[in-house]
Amino acid sequence: MLYTNDQIFLDGNNGKAVLLIHGVTSGCAQMYPLANVLNEYGYAVRCVNIAGHGTYPEDLLHTSWENMIDKAEYDYRMLKNEYDAVAVGGLSLGGALSIVLAKEHPDIRALLTISAPLKLLDGVFTQEFPPEQIFWHRDLGGKTGIAKKHHIHYEEIAVRVFKELQHIIRYISAAGFIEGITTPACIAQAKDDTVADPNSCRELYNRIGSCKKELYNPDTGGHNLCFGEERFPLFEHIIRFINGTM
């Protein structure tokens, strides 16, 4: 079990809360840098694990995209039981799951998406693996900076999870889905994202039905925008948005 990916609960002092959801194959520790900043501004923050993540690699062999949505729904309802004012957000797959929550719960106060994919670029997440291949090795070595501490993931990834990610992308991309969201939205993605199509953020911004929406689209930052030096202006933008919305 990945004990470093135990779910994170930070109590706040302003009566408002934020649910943060990590990216595919990673764990809730991925969202801690943003969670810490939000908490410093008084927000209670819950960093949760997506279904099949943060436990054992074998769990992803039996986790469907519906299970992932159900777990996000459960996490939101648990937080909503404690706080009237709740925002949801996430990175990559976590951003896509946040979009699902915003569609289902119009009372969510703010939607925060980082590198949420409406289309994936060619790469590991889209490649066809041989039928006999069950796991893909993703080494934990070579990480630098805060990614070394917080980007914790299984080293053996069940390859079927990438098909589940694609199911969720198709689900949220369907005609009328994004258009039906009215939650105030802050949409962030770097132009040099090499995992999600960099045009995803602009399509999401143009399609979403929210009256209040902002697009943060820096030139650099990569897919894991909340890990590099570029995270500081991103976090400032998110804080301004959420303070003005909640």
Side-chain angles (χ1 to χ4, degrees), residues 32-67:
Y32 181 76
L34 175 56
N36 188 51
V37 172
L38 288 165
N39 188 240
E40 288 177 351
Y41 278 83
Y43 295 94
V45 186
R46 303 293 184 261
C47 298
V48 297
N49 284 319
I50 296 171
H53 294 70
T55 52
Y56 301 94
E58 293 78 10
D59 286 345
L60 282 179
L61 294 173
H62 315 287
T63 302
S64 69
W65 66 279
E66 294 99 335
N67 295 150

Side-chain angles (χ1 to χ4, degrees), residues 86-100:
V86 176
V88 300
L91 172 68
S92 191
L93 170 58
L97 290 170
S98 298
I99 290 170
V100 174

